[in-house]
Structures are given as structure tokens and as C-alpha cells.
Amino acid sequence: MNDLSTPYVEVDGRAVDADPLFLALMGGYGHMTAMQIRDGRVRGLDLHLTRLDTATKELFGEGLDGGLVRDRIRRALGETGVRDVSARVYVYAPEPGDRTVTTVILRPAVPGPGPQRLRSVPYVRPAAHLKHVGVFGQAYHLRRVKAEGFDEALLVEPDGAVAEGAITNVGFLEGDTVVWPSAPALDGITMLVLRRELDRAGVPWRQQPVRLDEVSRFDAAFVCNSVGISPVALIDDVRFPLDAEPVGMLKRVYEAAPWDVI
């Protein structure tokens, strides 16, 4: 008889080992980063490593060595023999005070999506500055809007301020100037790489409050995440031109960003 000093776990009626990492995953307290790797390289590697280190310090009180992260990813790539992948790096601590565990998951490479149709939803992520794993709210809304024929959920604060997409950053174009909403949101790696390249190319950008009821005044809109930059075709009933040259310019600027060896 199990006195439950060790948790007893069944999955689909089958007893499984109560691995501490499994229990941590079920608890939903941790953080991660997602990247597209091509030929063993990734854009913005320094930004990924900084994100992981900073969030580990905030959540667990210790840093995360970037060299260790790179070793873990290289090992996973070597074990699979695949050079083009979608990679995720998760950081957990099984119990408060335990050392952190770094987990790498590789999946097939993902091509960039086409034009995106966004449906606004009244929701903002808690601790929005973190790419944390407690994603029920955004996953719930994303599934709901997809069932309605949309591609992405646009998260909006109670006062109507646009924040971010469920799994993307959202940006707007006012002439040749890129406008990012200033409501609390994750600083996505693709967004940060794009900002760096915009500065290098001399293209202006700024952050400012953007309200849902004023998005129609912008010339174009786009979303970005680890799979790249996509034009926005629709936000609720507001349509945007898909042939806007500034969106094409953004893609070209981003694609000029260097690839870093893992």
C-alpha cells in the first residue's frame, strides 16, 4: 500500500512514476522561450539567453547560465540529427528551494503563417513581462476565436487599451513609422530583434497607448512571434490592406537580422 509519502499518479488509468519534473509541469509555475532554429542557428540568441536568465532570477532567485542553455540545445540537436527545428526551453523548479531544471523540447520547423484575422477579447496576461507557462487564459481565448474562424486573439485591457496577441506581439503602421502598444505585454524576441534592425536601418518606431476603437486610423497592422512577421487582415470588423509596402519593408528589415550559432 502506498502511504502517499510519494505521490501516486495515474495517466489514462495507467500508473506512472511521480517524477518531480512531471509534478512541476502540472503545477504550471515556470517560464520558457521559443525559437526557430535553422541549420543550428537562431536570430536573437543573446535576447533568448537574457530572457531565460532574467526570468529565472525573478521566479527562482538564481541565474541561468547561457552556456548551459546552449549546451542543452546543442545536445538535443545532436541526438536528433535535425538542424531545422522549432525549439522550446523550459525552466522549472520541482519544489520551492529546489535547483532549477532546464528542459529542451524540439518539434518540426514551422513556416511563417499567412495574413492573420484577429478577434479582440477582454483579457490581459498576469505578469505580462514574463513568458510564463501559466497560459490557460490566453489558450482559452485563442481556442475560442479560432472556433469562430479567426487566427489569433487580440488581448485588450478593460479600458480598451490594446496589449498583445495571445501568442504574438501586435504592431501598427502610421505611414512609415511603427507603433507598438504601450500596455503591459511580453517583449517578444522577434519584436526586440525587429526593433534592433529598425534602429540599424533608420526606420522610426515608438510605443504609445493604442485603443481598440482607434485601430482603424492606422495604415496597416502586423503580428510577430518566433515564426516571423505576418500582416493583419482584420481586427474584429476593421480591415487592413495586405499589400501595404511598409509591412513588406518590415519583413525585409527583419530578414536582414543575423543568425547566431547555438
Side-chain angles (χ1 to χ4, degrees), residues 204-236:
W205 63 269
R206 66 176 182 269
Q207 279 187 289
Q208 68 180 50
V210 175
R211 293 183 53 82
L212 182 62
D213 59 9
E214 67 177 8
V215 298
S216 62
R217 74 177 181 83
F218 291 104
D219 299 308
F222 65 96
V223 291
C224 57
N225 63 6
S226 66
V227 298
I229 298 170
S230 299
V232 168
L234 187 73
I235 296 179
D236 294 338

Side-chain angles (χ1 to χ4, degrees), residues 6 65 72 74 78 82 99 103 109 111 115 130 134-135 140 153 184 190 223 251:
T6 299
D65 179 64
R72 294 282 194 269
R74 282 196 294 259
V82 180
R99 69 175 183 85
T103 302
L130 294 171
V135 297
Y140 170 81
T190 298
V223 291
K251 289 186 176 182

Side-chain angles (χ1 to χ4, degrees), residues 74-114:
R74 282 196 294 259
R75 174 181 171 80
L77 292 172
E79 288 292 322
T80 62
V82 180
R83 304 284 288 174
D84 295 352
V85 299
S86 296
R88 292 191 172 195
V89 180
Y90 292 87
V91 182
Y92 295 92
E95 294 289 341
D98 287 354
R99 69 175 183 85
T100 56
V101 177
T102 303
T103 302
V104 176
I105 296 178
L106 303 183
R107 291 189 173 94
V110 177

